[in-house]
Amino acid sequence: MTDFPVRYDLDEAGRIGAAIGAALAAGDVVLLSGDLGAGKTTLARAMLKARGLAGEAPSPTFAIVQPYAPPEVDLPIAHVDLYRIESADELIELGLDDYLHDGALLIEWPERLGGDGWPGALLLMISGEGDARVLTADVPAAWGARWPLR
């Protein structure tokens, strides 16, 4: 199911990310797609804040995987940035599937996953320039009843 585009400005990004973050459950994968500077990290930070993260979440661009666990958050979450990944072989070393046993994944630059990925992942596509953004979501059936942006 593809949801209608949500138009927002950067001031509203926190509210949108918080709504999605509050709906996260163990086993969820959220794919954040968009150009450099589109606001992927901004939405991910808002999702983490909704799960209890008190401080500022660093961008995982250089670490690639930034894990968060209780008591820092109420649901284990790995924030992943695949921008620096050059081949699908590198993904195996990250062990991303391990995070899904009791937590969730927020993955920026999912295009780097190649043909592999997660069926049933929530795909958020962000576009726009300046302060204006458009969020389009490919909402899988597992999210249907809990999708917060209606």
Side-chain angles (χ1 to χ4, degrees), residues 45-72:
R45 285 176 174 155
M47 290 179 215
L48 289 163
K49 186 175 181 180
R51 300 316 298 228
L53 186 65
E56 180 74 17
S59 172
T61 299
F62 294 103
I64 301 176
V65 178
Q66 181 66 48
Y68 299 92
E72 190 174 32

Side-chain angles (χ1 to χ4, degrees), residues 6-30:
V6 175
R7 287 172 175 68
Y8 65 99
D9 62 36
L10 293 179
D11 291 336
E12 295 174 296
R15 178 187 58 80
I16 291 169
I20 296 168
L24 278 175
D28 282 341
V29 177
V30 178

Side-chain angles (χ1 to χ4, degrees), residues 77-129:
I77 298 172
H79 183 189
V80 182
D81 187 326
L82 300 179
Y83 184 75
R84 295 179 36 224
I85 296 295
E86 295 181 7
S87 76
D89 294 339
E90 294 176 70
L91 295 171
I92 295 168
E93 296 175 23
L94 298 178
L96 297 179
D97 285 327
D98 294 340
Y99 291 99
L100 297 176
H101 296 292
D102 63 351
L105 289 171
L106 307 178
I107 301 177
E108 298 185 36
W109 298 99
E111 300 81 8
R112 305 287 177 140
L113 291 169
D116 296 332
W118 287 272
L122 172 64
L123 174 59
L124 304 177
M125 296 156 285
I126 306 164
S127 61
E129 294 180 10

